[in-house]
Amino acid sequence: MTTLLFSKQEISRKSFSVLTRALAAALLAVSLMATALFVMAPPAHADVRVADIVTGSGPSTTVVNPVTNKVYVAHLGDPRVSVIDGATNVATSIQLAGRPSGLAVNTVTNKVYASVDGTIVSIDGASNAVSVVYSGPGVHSLAVNESTNQIFALGGGPNSVLIFDGASKTSTTVTVGTYSSEMALNTVTNKAYVTDVDNNVVYVVDGTTKTSVQVPAGLRPYRLAVNPATNKIYVSNENSGDGGRNLTIIDGATNSTSGIALNDMPGDLAVNKKTNKIYISTGPYYLSELDGTTNRVKRFEFGDFLNNPHSLAVNETTNKVYGVLPSRGKLTVLRPGTGALEIIQVGNWPEELAVNEVTNKTYVANQMGGGLSVIDGADAPPAFTAGQPPVVGTVGSAFNYTFRATGSPAPGFSVYAGTLPPGLTLDKQTGVLSGIASKAGTYKVQVAASNGVSPSAFTKWFAITVNPAKNDFTSDGKADTLARDSAGTLWLYPGDTGGHFLPRVQVGSGWNAMTSLVAPGDLSGDAKPDVLARDTAGVLWLYPGNGYGEWYPRVQVGAGWNVMTSVLGPGDFNGDGKHDVLARDSAGTLWLYPGNGASGWLPRVAVGAGWNTMDKIVGPGDFNGDGKHDVIATDAAGTLWLYPGNGASGWLPRVQVGSGWNYMTAVVGPGDFNSNFPPDGTADLLARDTEGVLWHYPGDGKGGWMPRFAVGWGWGVMTAVL
């Protein structure tokens, strides 16, 4: 494994005087041997800044030894190198005889090399012992070939590259150009490439033969990067040549060149040899990706950075590209596979960075901040954190549930197997399952979360039972109303979804023998709404609906119900997917009769006391939009109260939702009576006043009301409305 990280020391030293003045007030008081650790939030869905480590004045060139998990940092203003333990983030200092201007790591020998005022020193990675291995004319911009144990350095004499043999401790200089500034190394061919800006060439320095040749490389070549897997070298040109070419490609085998015209001036480069993609900083708006096979260019547009992202580095393990924005104090993280960009606040004037691909940590040197920012970029497979969605919905009612999953990058969601109820959709990005179910039935589904990191996560199989609309007696998806007149005739008033009725239809006679009529929804389990009726003897009868406004033969489902002073159908009150019944006895106790989904009951449960103070009790469905069925009641003073159900046979605190309702002689919860108008899927009320006017009170889905409007007159002749 080879670590190649080269400094931009000339640029850094030009700005050093400015940086020094800015740092003086803030950092001179900091002990150079002291270490401060600022612990931040743990990583979750993306790259996260997890720590800031104070290292002292002007941290610059930063390199990583991934084998020992140590980070080495040179300082512009100090004769020392900081060593950070990647496991603990604890820093120590190694004093040098002068200021270091370049660093390189040999992970095989566990040596770190630093160019220090004309010398090359070796730092033992185990003991931190320092020894001078070369002394002569000044050198900088070090690179190590671990295969040959050679160190390449710009300098070592006029217009030269120094090649130092780490085993024999001997050195050789090779002539290059007058204006050589950047160097990159191909460790496979043991050749270094050096740009000569003013002479428009790149020098190829052979580390085996100790010779060099010139290769024409376009106008003003200045940045370069090597793909050792393909033996190609990519060079940024400050000026465009023929055809607008401003990126030169050198074939390392033949030294032949070709050019590509980029839309913007190229800057720093980084190579992912695994994917054969080259990343280029191309102005303050874009990062560009060059396909090394096809030479096709893709641009990622991120808006105005104010300055070009530079010090580009690739994590080939996670396929991420990192860059710094010094004037913004930001780190950019590009995921080329998705085009997603993260911008992370780091320290003051970040200038250099290094990536540890083993730990997936990125270290950013903040030159005016006096320390390193540590970024945790470990990708994680998705894992669901939210439980299963509600098991029940209702035709015409709003359904909403959010699947939640951790992972880095943030996972997307999909229906892996099965079928969602018609009318419900799953948002792939947010995991929100929502909509208004349009067809009753039971639907089995399995949802997946994936983010490109194996393995994907899957929910268990779950079933969503969609009950028919509470009062949809005609199976057209619209809420209907039943009413009995004084002659005992039962009338069906089909709803039209617009808050009005279609022509009424007679659906029964002789119903004046019944002392209570209730529309409870589907009690028989056939996905068709039914009717409950109590006769004068207290016998409770179930009239199963056939879905066409008519009834199957009635079935006795109870006796002794004449002790009940109010009977209502709240829907699925206990959250088991089956419709239930609530009944108040003469003592004011409110009883829940859980439906068993087959025209019968589970054991009843008391769910309240003191309810004999209520004049009218209604089951509207889910009135406050939380997915659980509620109850509305008026007291003797005419105050209207909402009793929100908790979905488990109990209550949340009651809320007043109206006053003056003692003017109403009947209150009914038909479901969503005006489903064609927003908000769709909300529970409404119908109320008849003392003058026989029937009013529609549209619910707003949040426990409140939209403006009411009249939907009928002459309803005073009706002795029951349901």
Side-chain angles (χ1 to χ4, degrees):
M1 181 174 182
T2 301
T3 301
L4 299 177
L5 288 153
F6 313 119
S7 75
K8 300 176 180 59
Q9 199 61 32
E10 295 77 14
I11 297 172
S12 297
R13 289 198 179 279
K14 288 178 183 178
S15 60
F16 177 62
S17 61
V18 176
L19 296 175
T20 301
R21 289 193 296 272
L23 285 164
L27 296 175
L28 285 179
V30 179
S31 169
L32 297 182
M33 295 297 292
T35 299
L37 176 62
F38 174 52
V39 180
M40 305 179 73
H45 297 291
D47 287 54
V48 175
R49 176 179 162 205
V50 293
D52 286 339
I53 305 171
V54 174
T55 59
S57 176
S60 180
T61 306
T62 303
V63 297
V64 169
N65 186 336
V67 176
T68 61
N69 194 18
K70 289 186 179 179
V71 186
Y72 298 85
V73 185
H75 293 268
L76 290 177
D78 293 327
R80 66 189 181 88
V81 168
S82 293
V83 185
I84 294 97
D85 186 316
T88 63
N89 287 340
V90 172
T92 57
S93 288
I94 301 174
Q95 294 300 126
L96 303 175
R99 294 181 300 181
S101 60
L103 292 176
V105 174
N106 188 327
T107 64
V108 174
T109 62
N110 193 18
K111 303 286 188 185
V112 181
Y113 297 93
S115 54
V116 181
D117 293 344
T119 67
I120 298 176
V121 301
S122 171
I123 302 172
D124 187 287
S127 66
N128 287 345
V130 178
S131 60
V132 176
V133 296
Y134 165 82
S135 181
V139 294
H140 58 91
S141 295
L142 304 181
V144 170
N145 189 340
E146 296 181 345
S147 300
T148 62
N149 196 14
Q150 289 176 313
I151 300 95
F152 292 73
L154 285 178
N159 312 325
S160 299
V161 167
L162 176 76
I163 304 174
F164 178 80
D165 189 299
S168 66
K169 304 297 190 293
T170 59
S171 62
T172 305
T173 58
V174 179
T175 300
V176 292
T178 307
Y179 301 99
S180 299
S181 59
E182 293 285 330
M183 178 174 65
L185 181 63
N186 187 332
T187 58
V188 174
T189 62
N190 198 28
K191 291 180 180 179
Y193 295 84
V194 181
T195 57
D196 187 337
V197 177
D198 285 357
N199 292 314
N200 301 326
V201 298
V202 166
Y203 280 86
V204 183
V205 178
D206 192 315
T208 303
T209 64
K210 311 298 192 297
T211 59
S212 67
V213 296
Q214 299 180 34
V215 176
L219 298 180
R220 297 189 61 78
Y222 71 116
R223 299 277 190 266
L224 73 170
V226 171
N227 188 341
T230 61
N231 196 15
K232 289 186 178 179
I233 302 88
Y234 299 87
V235 185
S236 294
N237 298 108
E238 285 187 338
N239 296 338
S240 299
D242 294 339
R245 295 178 179 179
N246 53 8
L247 182 73
T248 300
I249 304 173
I250 301 174
D251 187 318
T254 63
N255 286 339
S256 60
T257 63
S258 59
I260 292 176
L262 301 174
N263 289 338
D264 302 280
M265 187 180 79
D268 279 10
L269 305 97
V271 171
N272 187 331
K273 61 181 181 292
K274 289 184 178 179
T275 62
N276 194 17
K277 300 291 174 64
I278 300 87
Y279 297 93
I280 311 148
S281 175
T282 46
Y285 297 93
Y286 305 100
L287 281 177
S288 295
E289 177 190 80
L290 174 68
D291 188 310
T293 303
T294 65
N295 285 344
R296 291 181 179 176
V297 178
K298 178 192 295 184
R299 293 201 303 175
F300 299 96
E301 182 175 359
F302 305 128
D304 188 359
F305 287 149
L306 294 186
N307 58 309
N308 296 8
H310 69 266
S311 294
L312 299 185
V314 172
N315 185 334
E316 295 185 347
T317 301
T318 59
N319 191 23
K320 297 178 190 175
V321 185
Y322 296 88
V324 292
L325 306 173
S327 65
R328 290 279 188 92
K330 307 283 189 182
L331 174 74
T332 62
V333 186
L334 171 67
R335 298 175 184 270
T338 62
L341 174 76
E342 301 160 26
I343 299 180
I344 301 171
Q345 182 69 51
V346 287
N348 194 2
W349 206 270
E351 188 66 36
E352 303 276 351
L353 63 85
V355 176
N356 187 333
E357 294 191 5
V358 174
T359 63
N360 288 317
K361 298 281 180 65
T362 300
Y363 299 89
V364 182
N366 304 304
Q367 282 193 358
M368 293 182 69
L372 294 187
S373 294
V374 184
I375 311 299
D376 192 323
D379 284 344
F384 280 101
T385 58
Q388 300 288 63
V391 297
V392 65
T394 302
V395 171
S397 295
F399 186 98
N400 189 287
Y401 176 79
T402 301
F403 290 95
R404 301 187 189 279
T406 59
S408 180
F413 301 87
S414 62
V415 175
Y416 178 72
T419 305
L420 289 174
L424 300 189
T425 58
L426 177 65
D427 189 294
K428 294 181 179 180
Q429 291 185 331
T430 65
V432 174
L433 177 62
S434 63
I436 298 174
S438 60
K439 186 176 181 181
T442 298
Y443 303 86
K444 293 183 178 181
V445 188
Q446 190 177 24
V447 171
S450 57
N451 61 356
V453 182
S454 296
S456 296
F458 304 91
T459 65
K460 295 179 180 179
W461 280 94
F462 60 90
I464 299 177
T465 298
V466 177
N467 290 316
K470 182 171 176 286
N471 275 34
D472 180 20
F473 295 104
T474 57
S475 302
D476 61 358
K478 305 175 180 67
D480 309 319
T481 300
L482 291 170
R484 179 188 63 189
D485 63 21
S486 56
T489 302
L490 191 64
W491 297 95
L492 171 65
Y493 289 79
D496 69 352
T497 73
H500 301 92
F501 295 114
L502 300 175
R504 72 178 187 176
V505 179
Q506 181 178 339
V507 292
S509 59
W511 284 72
N512 48 6
M514 300 298 173
T515 59
S516 179
L517 297 178
V518 180
D522 175 28
L523 289 180
S524 60
D526 63 357
K528 302 176 180 67
D530 308 318
V531 168
L532 279 177
R534 181 187 62 195
D535 63 22
T536 55
V539 177
L540 192 66
W541 298 94
L542 174 67
Y543 289 79
N546 68 359
Y548 300 100
E550 299 173 340
W551 319 107
Y552 292 120
R554 71 178 186 176
V555 179
Q556 182 177 338
V557 292
W561 280 68
N562 46 8
V563 301
M564 300 298 177
T565 57
S566 181
V567 182
L568 62 142
D572 177 22
F573 191 69
N574 62 1
D576 66 353
K578 303 175 180 66
H579 282 186
D580 309 316
V581 166
L582 289 170
R584 178 187 63 190
D585 64 21
S586 56
T589 301
L590 191 65
W591 296 93
L592 170 65
Y593 288 80
N596 66 4
S599 305
W601 315 103
L602 301 176
R604 74 175 187 174
V605 180
V607 293
W611 281 73
N612 46 10
T613 62
M614 296 299 171
D615 180 36
K616 301 175 187 67
I617 309 174
V618 181
D622 176 20
F623 189 70
N624 60 4
D626 66 355
K628 303 173 180 66
H629 288 199
D630 309 316
V631 167
I632 285 179
T634 60
D635 62 22
T639 303
L640 192 67
W641 297 96
L642 169 65
Y643 288 82
N646 67 3
S649 306
W651 312 98
L652 302 176
R654 75 175 186 175
V655 181
Q656 182 177 340
V657 293
S659 59
W661 281 70
N662 47 5
Y663 182 67
M664 300 298 175
T665 60
V667 181
V668 180
D672 185 14
F673 188 63
N674 63 338
S675 58
N676 273 359
F677 296 92
D680 289 343
T682 58
D684 307 327
L685 288 187
L686 293 175
R688 180 186 62 193
D689 64 23
T690 55
E691 297 178 358
V693 179
L694 191 65
W695 295 92
H696 175 213
Y697 286 81
D700 66 0
K702 302 175 182 178
W705 309 101
M706 308 291 287
R708 74 172 189 173
F709 56 92
V711 294
W713 290 262
W715 281 69
V717 301
M718 299 299 177
T719 58
V721 183
L722 59 148

